[in-house]
Amino acid sequence: MTVINLGIIGGGQLGSMLATAAKKLNIKTTIFCDDKNAPAQDFCDDFIFGNYQDSEKIKEFTDKINLVTFEFENIPFETLKKINEIKKVLPNPEINKIIQNRLTEKDFVNRLNIQTTKYKLIRNKKDLEDSLDFIPGILKTSTLGYDGKGQFKINSKNDLDIVKINLNKEYIFEKLVNLKKEISVIITRFGPQKYEIYEPIENEHEHQILKYSKIPAEIDQDIFEKSKEWSKKISEELDYIGTLCVEYFIDKNNTLYVNEIAPRVHNSGHLTINSHNISQFENHIRAVCALEKLETKKLFNAKMINLIGKDILNYRDKKFNKNEFFFDYQKKEVKPKRKMGHFTTLIK
Ligand code: ADP
Ligand code: MG
């Protein structure tokens, strides 16, 4: 049997966990990343450090591998397209193109008759001043945001004087949802109507960064069903292959909205490594490498805490119980707001 060498673009913790899952399935991994300190280099078989636009590096990468996936969605579309002409990229880069931009992403979701927050394109200060009915709201850069980066809360009209609009950028202005809860649904699609779906996960954010996740989510049955249904529909419409996450808001009236789609494995799904027979990472590898789809089952309820910045220091020499699992992403430097590790507890 020939061994598959899977290329992964991006070398953060998601890359590490994908490479670890691949190893278990006897699949070799080569990671291509523009950070020479990328933590995933210690988990993969081969590591290529280079700029994502560098044709020589792209050639070196594509020469080594059979097919490609990625751990983050903000890779330049042109790079993904170019790589896809040489070796197949899954999920398809055209999906990334839609999701990379918060406006085209929300337009796509609404076309499926699935509700998102109320939103509007902003190009300049005047556009913002014409949007008083969106206040209180959040102004976000349309591209390249993550973990709350590139977001500005606008609580009142007065805040409009403070915000700076870069005229070379596009923004989206979203009406603030009166949040009761946030949940996410992770689905791995193997082909038409062929998927494994995890139950909704309840998430809590601090300063717009995910802090806690748990299953089961404390939600009504209709939200449970609807969030899964919508995630299936989204993955089906995108003709998606691999693991995808849909983030949802539930407001105080129990209305469900899609917040955003992550075309990749997701932080809220880290608990699946321990709570399920097959993790979101293993399912992703199975789907993109066209391996067998096995029935995914929950073994335990679980909760996860993200270790952000200095949080990690309290865990590094701690003793753990049998139902506790500590993951250290082995990043070279501890920085505030940086995801350094996570800690999962299985619950009976
Ligand atoms: P990112 O790409 O940084 O994850 P999100 O749009 O998911 O960006 O925003 C991060 C978090 O900020 C959300 O999970 C939520 O807690 C809060 N947030 C973002 N937009 C809204 C909104 N329109 N209403 C209420 N909360 C929001
Ligand atoms: Mg988000």
Side-chain angles (χ1 to χ4, degrees):
M1 203 180 88
T2 48
V3 176
I4 301 176
N5 194 324
L6 173 66
I8 301 174
I9 308 173
Q13 62 271 19
L14 300 177
S16 306
M17 291 184 258
L18 283 168
T20 304
K23 193 166 280 174
K24 190 180 144 195
L25 298 167
N26 279 325
I27 288 169
K28 289 208 173 309
T29 49
T30 300
I31 288 184
F32 177 29
C33 185
D34 65 356
D35 172 8
K36 71 171 184 320
N37 292 323
Q41 62 192 285
D42 297 330
F43 296 83
C44 58
D45 296 285
D46 249 314
F47 178 70
I48 298 171
F49 160 60
N51 189 295
Y52 294 133
Q53 267 105 344
D54 184 338
S55 329
E56 302 242 318
K57 289 289 171 185
I58 291 178
K59 181 167 186 325
E60 185 189 338
F61 178 57
T62 50
D63 278 350
K64 285 203 161 150
I65 49 156
N66 306 99
L67 80 159
V68 184
T69 190
F70 46 85
E71 62 128 38
F72 77 114
E73 59 272 42
N74 291 325
I75 305 150
F77 174 68
E78 288 310 315
T79 301
L80 281 184
K81 215 175 103 185
K82 205 161 146 190
I83 293 177
N84 196 32
E85 283 160 13
I86 312 167
K87 295 280 163 72
K88 191 171 188 167
V89 177
L90 286 172
N92 190 310
E94 294 297 329
I95 297 173
N96 255 42
K97 199 176 171 191
I98 302 171
I99 296 178
Q100 272 180 350
N101 184 308
R102 295 186 191 275
L103 285 150
T104 52
E105 177 188 33
K106 285 192 167 60
D107 288 345
F108 161 76
V109 174
N110 281 284
R111 272 202 304 278
L112 305 181
N113 282 323
I114 294 175
Q115 181 161 248
T116 63
T117 52
K118 198 174 155 196
Y119 64 101
K120 176 178 175 181
L121 165 69
I122 301 289
R123 291 184 199 276
N124 50 46
K125 210 61 182 235
K126 165 123 193 351
D127 290 344
L128 205 52
E129 283 157 4
D130 289 342
S131 319
L132 298 184
D133 51 330
F134 282 70
I135 297 175
I138 305 190
L139 184 71
K140 303 177 182 177
T141 51
S142 336
T143 57
L144 297 173
Y146 69 98
D147 287 347
K149 292 192 173 62
Q151 299 193 12
F152 316 89
K153 255 199 189 138
I154 296 178
N155 294 316
S156 73
K157 216 177 137 196
N158 295 340
D159 290 346
L160 294 184
D161 300 333
I162 313 165
V163 284
K164 291 202 170 51
I165 301 275
N166 178 340
L167 295 174
N168 298 317
K169 283 189 181 170
E170 266 186 13
Y171 297 81
I172 183 172
F173 194 25
E174 281 180 42
K175 208 172 160 63
L176 199 72
V177 173
N178 197 0
L179 283 181
K180 177 168 148 192
K181 220 159 248 207
E182 292 187 64
I183 58 169
S184 54
V185 172
I186 293 174
I187 181 165
T188 307
R189 185 174 176 275
F190 289 75
Q193 300 296 332
K194 210 176 152 198
Y195 34 69
E196 289 298 325
I197 185 162
Y198 296 88
E199 68 179 62
I201 301 163
E202 181 168 337
N203 301 315
E204 206 180 310
H205 291 75
E206 268 179 24
H207 313 294
Q208 279 126 307
I209 304 177
L210 181 69
K211 184 73 187 168
Y212 306 100
S213 293
K214 68 168 185 187
I215 46 170
E218 289 172 54
I219 49 174
D220 297 344
Q221 192 61 28
D222 60 327
I223 298 258
F224 183 97
E225 299 298 344
K226 201 174 184 182
S227 60
K228 285 173 72 172
E229 223 28 71
W230 283 1
S231 301
K232 278 184 208 167
K233 189 160 181 190
I234 287 168
S235 72
E236 213 47 55
E237 286 296 324
L238 291 170
D239 199 11
Y240 195 91
I241 300 293
T243 295
L244 166 137
C245 176
V246 183
E247 297 179 16
Y248 294 97
F249 292 145
I250 304 168
D251 76 4
K252 297 254 159 63
N253 298 320
N254 237 6
T255 308
L256 185 68
Y257 305 84
V258 167
N259 169 26
E260 61 174 349
I261 305 168
R264 52 169 170 80
V265 287
H266 191 261
N267 192 170
S268 62
H270 291 0
L271 50 75
T272 63
I273 296 175
N274 309 104
S275 63
H276 283 69
N277 63 334
I278 301 174
S279 72
Q280 62 162 349
F281 302 98
E282 181 175 337
N283 265 330
H284 182 75
I285 303 286
R286 285 183 175 276
V288 300
C289 295
L291 305 184
E292 193 185 356
K293 173 177 102 61
L294 299 177
E295 192 190 344
T296 300
K297 289 184 204 142
K298 178 165 85 168
L299 307 173
F300 300 97
N301 288 324
K303 59 179 185 183
M304 181 222 59
I305 173 168
N306 260 344
L307 306 174
I308 296 165
K310 287 185 177 150
D311 293 354
I312 189 93
L313 303 176
N314 296 326
Y315 284 79
R316 282 193 168 143
D317 33 41
K318 208 170 163 167
K319 290 252 181 303
F320 301 105
N321 295 320
K322 269 208 317 234
N323 63 332
E324 295 175 330
F325 301 87
F326 169 52
F327 294 78
D328 187 337
Y329 302 154
Q330 299 173 32
K331 293 186 180 175
K332 294 251 179 326
E333 222 186 316
V334 179
K335 282 192 197 164
K337 296 191 176 176
R338 177 180 258 188
K339 290 173 178 168
M340 299 298 301
H342 73 266
F343 179 66
T344 300
T345 308
L346 299 179
I347 306 163
K348 279 262 157 63

